[in-house]
Amino acid sequence: QVQLVESGGGSVQSGGSLRLSCVGSGFTSSTACMGWFRQAPGKEREGVGYIYRKGTTGYADSVKGRFTISQGNAKDTVYLQMNSLKPEDTAMYYCAASTACYSSGNSTYAAGRIYWGQGTQVTVSS
């Protein structure tokens, strides 16, 4: 069974940086893509970005140029480097493993079989 554990969340001032990590296990052939999502209070969960195991990445328009997704050499760990953080980035951040990922409009999405982590809170103060 796929298990995902996020870490690295915390509180930071506007303009600061944080690096989130997602360590996964139990990956199968149905988990070709890893993505990051976030959900702010009272809002729907939205895509932040994704990375395929082969390295292809995609980002939501709201984070392009500020956030970077990368993976460890063993490809069981995915990172979300967040720079120039804004108060509107405040949310619970979730890691997901899925069959596929894609960009549409100004956001990113997961498709097929999707597994979720428990989330890590990011709070950005002005």
Side-chain angles (χ1 to χ4, degrees):
Q1 178 158 349
V2 176
Q3 294 186 325
L4 304 168
V5 179
E6 303 97 331
S7 63
S11 297
V12 64
Q13 289 191 328
S14 181
S17 298
L18 281 174
R19 188 194 197 201
L20 306 184
S21 299
C22 173
V23 179
S25 61
F27 291 126
T28 69
S29 58
S30 67
T31 52
C33 185
M34 299 283 290
W36 286 96
F37 294 77
R38 65 187 182 185
Q39 187 168 18
K43 295 187 176 181
E44 293 186 353
R45 189 174 296 188
E46 62 176 2
V48 174
Y50 61 83
I51 184 167
Y52 273 94
R53 293 187 180 281
K54 293 183 178 180
T56 303
T57 58
Y59 297 93
D61 287 352
S62 61
V63 305
K64 278 180 182 176
R66 300 189 299 123
F67 291 11
T68 303
I69 296 176
S70 60
Q71 56 189 352
N73 290 334
K75 296 182 172 55
D76 59 355
T77 302
V78 174
Y79 304 99
L80 178 65
Q81 177 66 45
M82 305 185 293
N83 299 327
S84 302
L85 282 161
K86 305 174 182 180
E88 50 264 44
D89 294 318
T90 295
M92 184 70 79
Y93 281 72
Y94 298 91
C95 174
S98 60
T99 307
C101 302
Y102 62 97
S103 298
S104 180
N106 59 5
S107 191
T108 61
Y109 302 86
R113 188 84 179 263
I114 305 172
Y115 302 89
W116 295 97
Q118 83 289 349
T120 185
Q121 178 67 38
V122 171
T123 302
V124 184
S125 58
S126 58

